[in-house]
Amino acid sequence: MAERYAPEVLDHLVRPRNVGEIEANSGVGESGDTACGDVARFTVRIGDGLRLEEVRYRVYGCAACIACGSALAELAEGRDLVSAAAITKDDLLEALGGPLPPGKEHAVTLVLDALHKAFEDGWTRDYDALLADGGYVAPGSGSGKKTVVAAMSGGVDSAVTALLLREAGYNVVACTFRLHDAEPGSRSCCSPDTVLFARDTAHRMGLPHFTLNLKELFGRRVMRDFVGSYAKGSTPNPCVACNAHVKFHAAAYLADRLGYEKVATGHYARVGEGPSLARPEDETKDQTYVLWPMPKELLARTVFPLGEHRKTEVRAIAERNGLAVAYTPESQDICFIPSGNYRDFVGRKVEAAPGEIVAADGTVLGRHAGVANFTVGQRRGLGVSAKTPLYVREVRPETRQVVVGGREDLRTTEILVGATNWFLGVQEAAFVQIRYNGSAVACKVAATEREGVYRVVFEEPVYGVAPGQSAVFYTHDLDRVVGGGRVLRKES
Ligand SMILES: Nc1ncnc2c1ncn2[C@@H]1O[C@H](COP(=O)(O)OP(=O)(O)OP(=O)(O)O)[C@@H](O)[C@H]1O
């Protein structure tokens, strides 16, 4: 650690480069806050070929921050965007003649973050197409180069994904999505600290990194749907909604803007012929169930490197390569509810309207505070006592009734499935899986007179199937996903 500023730092202080603000800019980024005393603001102008024509900075803070801002602006200007996104803390320190004195290292993080936020702002300004209702599905650039945008959450799976792709000879750009405002102090994938951590991880691997702000899209397509589903008496799966509308579209959007061909995530799945979705090597981590709604055009340009690996190997790869993410815990079920208490989360968003708890014959057994607290198959928290265990059979939001019954009443032998997405021909569907960790049961699938709606008859009964759940169909060898859809309400 240096005891005093290097001559290069002093030079930047005496002759600061690129100070100012670009009026007609392509992106603005600010980091720090006046409470801690240091604020850095970068403006960038991006020209043809994604070249950083101009980079300007302003810093309100200590000498180290000012010198770092000046050095970073000078380093970045004139580069192409991808190369600027790969500038590391060490690159910046090298430009400043070596390490900063103790207590000043934060300056490097501050200015890099402000520059990256300017890039983030630039992408955000331009993605009306991404926010459009149909989502963003490009045909793939097919430039012939091995190029890939790897979605990096800050966890071990996506870090190893990027590493494996780099080792396989791809030009990799890592990107992290801000999906929601993480609850303060949480280790969620979207907390500001996690974005910094993901960027740091990418940079340590020598990879450029971008952040995309997808809060609006995620709020609209995932969180609103999540809350709305409970209020409508149906059971949502936010990971499914995110894969249907957000993650892959965003990665493909960035890939298209960069002229990159492929997109990758750290999901445990394979891309089979067709293309179709195939089960991964590690059956204990199989994520094909939540990937069914991926548009086929996007699957065609997707790589899942972890499909060939077991989780234990993935951690070992991370460890061998000295990645700090090697020991990160498994991510929680729902990324925007780190506490896991989704009833509480929904309860804060939906105005509760009380109603009746009834038996199938209409007998009133009790009262409840709101239908959003119930889901089919639920046993706990009914507030009704009976000699034999009671379960929620049905939620009727229109009459605010929750219908309960015994376990046998949950027995289901047939369902209707809509909003389907098929990778292979429907006739190949031989098994269906109704829950993420459930097992697949043999079934027969037939089209109905309603377009896009299928009748699925189970060969053995399934208990507690809720409307809104995903029904995912597999081939007779159980290896490939034929397609999937959402379970419809009986009367719909
Ligand atoms: N906020 C995010 N930004 C970028 N990519 C993300 C984000 N969240 C998830 N992903 C991508 O989706 C993949 C699957 O997400 P999931 O939430 O299942 O995480 P995971 O299996 O715990 O993976 P990881 O260990 O990488 O966090 C991740 O591996 C990553 O590629």
Side-chain angles (χ1 to χ4, degrees):
M1 196 67 66
E3 288 304 317
R4 57 180 60 181
Y5 289 128
E8 288 85 343
V9 175
L10 300 176
D11 185 50
H12 277 285
L13 286 174
V14 178
R15 291 188 312 115
R17 271 72 110 185
N18 297 31
V19 183
E21 177 125 358
I22 306 162
E23 283 283 307
N25 59 61
S26 326
V28 181
E30 212 169 272
S31 193
D33 59 57
T34 39
C36 82
D38 297 317
V39 180
R41 182 178 165 89
F42 272 75
T43 44
V44 296
R45 187 167 62 78
I46 303 167
D48 290 344
L50 293 181
R51 187 173 176 277
L52 273 177
E53 301 290 354
E54 273 183 281
V55 179
R56 293 286 176 273
Y57 83 98
R58 279 194 198 287
V59 163
Y60 307 94
C62 68
C65 292
I66 295 170
C68 283
S70 169
L72 180 59
E74 190 176 44
L75 261 184
E77 191 170 89
R79 292 198 188 203
D80 74 71
L81 197 53
V82 169
S83 135
I87 295 173
T88 64
K89 291 179 185 170
D90 285 347
D91 294 335
L92 188 52
L93 287 173
E94 199 185 313
L96 287 166
L100 295 172
K104 297 293 176 191
E105 305 87 348
H106 72 281
V108 179
T109 307
L110 181 86
V111 297
L112 263 178
D113 194 45
L115 178 66
H116 274 266
K117 283 188 174 143
F119 299 158
E120 181 178 338
D121 180 42
W123 296 125
T124 311
R125 284 182 192 185
D126 192 31
Y127 62 36
D128 278 358
L130 178 66
L131 297 177
D133 235 26
Y136 188 89
V137 182
S141 61
S143 66
K145 276 193 255 152
K146 283 181 70 160
T147 49
V148 64
V149 167
M152 197 184 258
S153 62
V156 62
D157 290 331
S158 46
V160 170
T161 296
L163 190 81
L164 291 171
L165 290 164
R166 193 194 65 186
E167 283 174 359
Y170 278 94
N171 283 351
V172 183
V173 162
C175 76
T176 302
F177 311 133
R178 281 187 218 275
L179 300 174
H180 51 86
D181 290 314
E183 296 191 4
S186 79
R187 239 214 92 259
S188 148
C189 61
C190 291
S191 70
D193 282 355
T194 308
V195 172
L196 288 181
F197 182 67
R199 184 184 305 147
D200 221 48
T201 306
H203 282 172
R204 281 172 197 274
M205 289 190 238
L207 303 179
H209 180 270
F210 290 111
T211 307
L212 291 186
N213 187 335
L214 305 178
K215 286 187 202 173
E216 187 189 333
L217 180 65
F218 190 80
R220 181 143 54 84
R221 304 305 306 251
V222 181
M223 291 170 76
R224 206 187 296 171
D225 171 72
F226 179 80
V227 173
S229 289
Y230 278 108
K232 281 191 248 139
S234 105
T235 301
N237 185 326
C239 295
V240 167
C242 184
N243 291 331
H245 305 292
V246 181
K247 262 181 209 159
F248 292 94
H249 297 71
Y253 160 81
L254 185 59
D256 287 344
R257 293 298 318 279
L258 297 173
Y260 274 36
E261 193 191 352
K262 302 277 191 192
V263 299
T265 63
H267 285 104
Y268 288 80
R270 284 184 174 129
V271 183
E273 266 174 46
S276 65
L277 199 57
R279 302 247 200 213
E281 167 69 26
D282 190 342
E283 68 293 341
T284 65
K285 293 294 295 177
D286 184 356
Q287 288 178 301
T288 52
Y289 179 80
V290 289
L291 290 167
W292 71 264
M294 277 187 74
K296 201 169 169 175
E297 301 90 327
L298 278 180
L299 184 65
R301 62 187 302 197
T302 298
V303 208
F304 294 126
L306 301 195
E308 311 303 327
H309 295 270
R310 302 199 70 83
K311 179 79 185 210
T312 44
E313 287 165 31
V314 169
R315 286 210 187 270
I317 294 171
E319 217 179 284
R320 250 194 335 272
N321 285 274
L323 300 183
V325 291
Y327 307 103
T328 52
E330 294 293 295
S331 43
Q332 59 274 331
D333 277 354
I334 300 177
C335 67
F336 54 91
I337 312 181
S339 67
N341 189 346
Y342 62 95
R343 296 270 176 236
D344 182 52
F345 180 86
V346 173
R348 281 188 267 130
K349 315 255 173 205
V350 181
E351 210 177 306
E356 295 168 341
I357 298 185
V358 299
D361 64 3
T363 313
V364 178
L365 303 176
R367 307 254 328 144
H368 64 77
V371 291
N373 291 324
F374 301 91
T375 189
V376 172
Q378 181 179 332
R379 189 180 146 190
R380 288 171 198 278
L382 302 186
V384 176
S385 56
K387 288 198 195 91
T388 52
L390 287 179
Y391 300 82
V392 174
R393 270 180 82 162
E394 197 187 334
V395 179
R396 295 179 183 155
E398 40 318 307
T399 56
R400 301 207 296 265
Q401 281 180 322
V402 173
V403 186
V404 296
R407 176 162 157 78
E408 268 314 293
D409 295 320
L410 299 179
R411 190 175 196 270
T412 311
T413 51
E414 190 180 307
I415 52 171
L416 287 178
V417 172
T420 50
N421 181 46
W422 299 103
F423 301 112
L424 303 171
V426 184
Q427 69 287 355
E428 295 205 46
F431 286 89
V432 63
Q433 192 175 319
I434 304 290
R435 290 191 183 83
Y436 185 50
N437 288 318
S439 36
V441 294
C443 69
K444 295 265 182 300
V445 184
T448 64
E449 59 291 347
R450 285 164 61 194
E451 204 185 327
V453 176
Y454 295 80
R455 184 176 308 284
V456 181
V457 180
F458 306 139
E459 287 190 6
E460 56 190 91
V462 176
Y463 287 80
V465 183
Q469 271 178 311
S470 292
V472 184
F473 302 100
Y474 291 86
T475 47
H476 68 280
D477 57 4
L478 278 167
D479 190 49
R480 288 198 292 163
V481 175
V482 179
R486 280 182 153 212
V487 176
L488 300 178
R489 287 173 70 105
K490 281 191 197 113
E491 69 279 14
S492 64

